């Protein structure tokens, strides 16, 4: 009996030592950065946004062109009496950005005003790297910026969206300075009033991507000042070739009603 008791104690001692010598294991936590998207539009009012409409000073929301309704930021022409009169407008978020991802949803609704330009039917845009709205001329049509052009389908035929237009700017496409005003993306056509998801990735003055419904449809690089402008021409001519590293974000009014919602930004390092 004493033998078995000694044997049991010896085994217990061995096990105790073994457990003490066993390396301590720790759970390795993967360091996955949480994406911190921030809403730019609260769905209730236009706080933090500045309206600038051609022929009117910054801050004058002429004829309530931009309104908030049903948690949407709407371009609204109810008070226009069906006459647009080239009053191109934009609403600017009150902060400039440089490296970021912007995402939102949009849809075209209703009918274009009767005297709107033919090219402006189901046409709007998200302008990035915009000049400061406080510096825009009273009768200036568009800010110097990069435009992510939004087009709706016309019922038949192909009409891609998330195209590129360049008011007062140039970009590099296929390693060449592209000086045309507008360039077509590879997106599908979206007819009717369906919601379309847009994302724009902006990397300072290096690369910009247009993304529709999670598909990259256009990529270009090196946004810079260049080309014709309709205000303060000599000033902008003297800046030609200067890289566009940052700027304001604006949404466009071009004579066709459009709605925007879930406008969010993710700032990147």
């Amino acid at each position: 009996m004493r033998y078995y008791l000694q044997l049991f104690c010896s085994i217990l001692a061995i096990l105790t030592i073994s457990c003490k010598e066993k390396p301590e294991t720790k759970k390795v936590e993967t360091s996955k950065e949480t994406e911190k998207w921030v809403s730019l539009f609260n769905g209730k009012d236009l706080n933090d946004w500045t309206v600038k409409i051609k022929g009117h000073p910054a801050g004058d929301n002429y004829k309530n062109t931009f309104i908030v309704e049903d948690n949407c930021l709407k371009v609204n022409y109810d008070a226009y009496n069906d006459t647009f009169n080239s009053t191109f407008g934009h609403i600017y978020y009150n902060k400039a950005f440089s490296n970021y991802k912007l995402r939102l949803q949009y849809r075209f609704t209703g009918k274009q005003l009767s005297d709107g330009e033919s090219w402006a039917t189901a046409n709007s845009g998200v302008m990035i790297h915009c000049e400061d709205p406080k510096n825009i001329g009273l009768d200036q049509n568009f800010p110097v910026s990069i435009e992510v052009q939004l087009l709706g389908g016309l019922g038949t035929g192909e009409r891609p969206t998330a195209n590129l237009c360049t008011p007062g700017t140039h970009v590099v496409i296929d390693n060449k300075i592209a000086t045309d005003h507008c360039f077509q993306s590879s997106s599908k056509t979206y007819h009717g009033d369906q919601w379309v998801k847009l994302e724009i990735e902006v990397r300072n003055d290096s690369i910009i991507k247009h993304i529709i419904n999670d598909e990259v449809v256009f990529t270009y690089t090196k946004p810079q000042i260049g080309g014709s402008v309709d205000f303060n021409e000599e000033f902008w001519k003297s800046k030609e070739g200067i890289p566009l590293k940052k700027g304001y974000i604006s949404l466009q009014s071009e004579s066709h009603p459009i709605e925007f919602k879930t406008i969010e930004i993710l700032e990147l390092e």
Side-chain angles (χ1 to χ4, degrees), residues 71-83:
N71 294 315
C72 295
L73 196 165
K74 298 183 178 183
V75 177
N76 161 71
Y77 301 114
D78 289 351
Y80 275 65
N81 296 319
D82 202 30
T83 303

Side-chain angles (χ1 to χ4, degrees), residues 88-139:
F88 297 104
H90 300 80
I91 185 168
Y92 299 77
Y93 188 73
N94 292 338
K95 178 184 175 181
F97 296 97
S98 180
N99 292 287
Y100 60 92
K101 291 181 181 179
L102 176 73
R103 67 185 182 189
L104 56 80
Q105 295 182 56
Y106 74 89
R107 68 172 180 175
F108 289 98
T109 61
K111 294 182 179 180
Q112 182 188 23
L113 297 178
S114 61
D115 67 334
E117 299 287 348
S118 59
W119 49 261
T121 305
N123 186 339
S124 187
V126 177
M127 324 294 275
I128 59 175
H129 280 350
C130 293
E131 60 179 304
D132 190 327
K134 296 189 293 292
N135 297 333
I136 291 175
L138 186 69
D139 293 318

